[in-house]
Amino acid sequence: MLEPLFHVLSRYESLSLHEEERLRKTILFDREVFADQDIVKAGSEPDRSSLLLSGFAARYKLLENGSRQITSLHVAGDFIDLHAFLLKKMDHGIMAISDCRIAYAQHAELEKITEEEPHLTRLLWLNTLVDGAIHREWIVAMGRRSKKAHLAHLLCELFVRLKTVKLTKGQSFTLPLSQATLSDVLGLSTVHMNRVIQALRQDGVIRWSNQQVEILQWDRLAEIAEFDMTYLRLELAER
Amino acid sequence: MLEPLFHVLSRYESLSLHEEERLRKTILFDREVFADQDIVKAGSEPDRSSLLLSGFAARYKLLENGSRQITSLHVAGDFIDLHAFLLKKMDHGIMAISDCRIAYAQHAELEKITEEEPHLTRLLWLNTLVDGAIHREWIVAMGRRSKKAHLAHLLCELFVRLKTVKLTKGQSFTLPLSQATLSDVLGLSTVHMNRVIQALRQDGVIRWSNQQVEILQWDRLAEIAEFDMTYLRLELAER
DNA sequence: CGGCCGGTTGATCGTCGTCAAGTAAGGTGG
DNA sequence: CCACCTTACTTGACGACGATCAACCGGCCG
């Protein structure tokens, strides 16, 4: 059940069996959250952190005029609010984009891990640092890339992340986001979001329908995006 | 010398004298970096992390067409590349915006801290999490705020951050960024950057000249920005 | 069958980038 | 001390990009 998490953590540094056991004992109780439901409410102060076992989730903030900005997308294996362990108060909400399966780690247990398991602690810390690296890449995309390049970059990132948790088939993956939701990722109107997608289709680099994205020409897509996956830190380092 | 760092860390949770001592022993050698010089090069794999003692620094990425996006701004007390301790490879550069004074912590020493000082480790981790929270707020600003609101938000954030390290005088602070540099923060052209600044001036909420920013009407500025400082996590929590 | 949701397209308008020019301040060399 | 740079900021004109308003299509569900 925790395999996606093991895949994610051990893509940074190998996990010992003892550490896997420790995580199994820490991460408990799973529940289902249906699409469009909040997994964690903005402003709450949870006493546990949520691990996404399956499905897609998003962190988001709402503005007074009702608009929404999604600040990150999450897939199986992602510790979606591990930062709440130390940040305490949620400064944003997290919602299920598709139906999601969630498991929990009590903050008290995480604290014990920081007292007793320094290596595992560093891996969990690293996990949150990769979140930060993704945030930085999104900032670059929003500030200085064309909208087409931004979308191309997002697709490259999702493909690579999904591949490490074995959720791609060949050059395809399932992306259960409506164009309206996607537009809240890129900060666009839905109309223009649609046109940007059309542009990538017309370039012949992707096929996309019924929530299935197929990358027809990875090299050209990566070139449009100027995609450099260093920031995802997927090369295994020695412990 | 490390007082700014202590101010930053102890605004999260109080530091014990032992922990302050430990930091003093860990953070050594300071040097000066002049404005516009790189402090850390993109692609490098530093064996130490840099603490900014004074001055302003920025993390940035360059794109192939020569444009630049700044992904964060740093002030005295900020551990500007603490994430490199675990991320290993820099996926972005860090440059001095004004003349900067820098001290260093060897990664080997930081690793010892994670083995021996769990509470201090959590504080350092938390420090990187606040970076992430700031990134998220910037993403929201770039995606869904008007440019005027984005700038207002940035000024609010900088004012609050500078205040906690005692670098404000009344409602004023020194901001040694040219408008061209600022435009690489907001993702704008320099021409439009200038016009956005004019707009805030005309609203009478700020005065700004010779690198001195004075906030004339905090409430209106915060209202334009929809500024909610929760994300900076400045309320002191118990240990 | 009718309504709703997601996707698509056209028309129009505002925001913002680009090109261009001009001003003010500071620094250098004669 | 002044002629001449350079750098930072400022303003105007114009065009491209993206938001908004509006309409329409197809599939799904009650």
Side-chain angles (χ1 to χ4, degrees), chain A residues 19 82 85 110-127, chain B residues 86 114 118 121-122 125:
Chain A
E19 287 167 340
L82 181 52
F85 163 46
L110 291 173
E111 184 160 340
K112 273 189 213 154
I113 287 179
T114 67
E115 305 280 342
E116 298 162 11
E117 305 280 350
H119 178 260
L120 186 52
T121 300
R122 290 196 296 271
L123 278 188
L124 292 173
W125 183 356
L126 174 54
N127 198 43
Chain B
L86 295 173
T114 66
T121 300
R122 290 196 297 272
W125 184 356

Side-chain angles (χ1 to χ4, degrees), chain A residues 51-227:
Chain A
L51 175 69
L52 187 55
L53 298 175
S54 69
F56 279 68
R59 302 188 192 156
Y60 69 94
K61 293 207 187 199
L62 298 176
L63 298 191
E64 286 169 15
N65 65 10
S67 64
R68 176 177 71 166
Q69 178 65 44
I70 289 175
T71 60
S72 48
L73 287 175
H74 293 285
V75 303
D78 286 354
F79 236 130
I80 54 183
D81 61 347
L82 181 52
H83 52 298
F85 163 46
L86 294 173
L87 246 16
K88 312 270 192 213
K89 183 161 180 176
M90 293 297 297
D91 57 15
H92 62 273
I94 307 184
M95 57 171 291
I97 283 181
S98 63
D99 292 350
C100 287
R101 180 147 223 94
I102 307 282
Y104 293 104
Q106 293 296 130
H107 288 170
E109 292 298 315
L110 291 173
E111 184 160 340
K112 273 189 213 154
I113 287 179
T114 67
E115 305 280 342
E116 298 162 11
E117 305 280 350
H119 178 260
L120 186 52
T121 300
R122 290 196 296 271
L123 278 188
L124 292 173
W125 183 356
L126 174 54
N127 198 43
T128 65
L129 291 175
V130 172
D131 273 7
I134 293 172
H135 287 149
R136 286 192 288 275
E137 205 55 68
W138 284 32
I139 289 172
V140 174
M142 304 194 83
R144 289 300 187 202
R145 290 187 212 276
S146 70
K147 297 305 166 176
K148 193 165 93 172
H150 187 175
L151 177 59
H153 198 279
L154 180 68
L155 293 176
C156 288
E157 177 186 307
L158 286 172
F159 182 80
V160 170
R161 288 170 61 194
L162 288 168
K163 194 175 167 80
T164 70
V165 288
K166 311 204 185 302
L167 287 175
T168 55
K169 328 180 249 317
Q171 291 300 110
S172 300
F173 59 92
T174 301
L175 188 64
L177 305 210
S178 69
Q179 292 185 4
T181 305
L182 245 200
S183 73
D184 285 337
V185 174
L186 297 239
L188 288 177
S189 66
T190 58
V191 171
H192 204 70
M193 185 72 250
N194 181 276
R195 293 187 166 124
V196 173
I197 295 171
Q198 303 291 347
L200 275 190
R201 285 199 186 112
Q202 249 106 63
D203 286 356
V205 293
I206 57 164
R207 198 174 301 163
W208 186 344
S209 61
N210 289 54
Q211 307 193 336
Q212 294 301 310
V213 178
E214 182 182 1
I215 297 174
L216 300 173
Q217 303 183 56
W218 172 265
D219 290 347
R220 278 189 58 203
L221 187 67
E223 188 186 325
I224 292 169
E226 288 185 29
F227 184 68

Side-chain angles (χ1 to χ4, degrees), chain B residues 146-158:
Chain B
S146 71
K147 298 303 168 179
K148 192 165 93 173
H150 187 173
L151 176 59
H153 199 278
L154 180 68
L155 293 176
C156 287
E157 177 187 306
L158 286 172

Side-chain angles (χ1 to χ4, degrees), chain A residues 12-49:
Chain A
Y12 305 138
E13 284 181 22
S14 59
L15 278 172
S16 70
L17 286 176
H18 167 71
E19 287 167 340
E20 288 198 5
E21 261 328 293
R22 183 77 198 236
L23 285 171
R24 277 187 222 282
K25 281 191 299 187
T26 304
I27 300 172
L28 302 169
F29 317 114
D30 58 309
R31 71 160 171 142
E32 187 91 11
V33 179
F34 297 116
D36 294 323
Q37 301 294 308
D38 265 342
I39 298 174
V40 188
K41 293 223 181 297
S44 65
E45 302 195 14
D47 60 354
R48 58 186 188 183
S49 283

Side-chain angles (χ1 to χ4, degrees), chain B residues 178-179 194-195 198 201:
Chain B
S178 69
Q179 292 184 6
N194 181 275
R195 293 190 166 121
Q198 303 291 349
R201 284 199 187 115

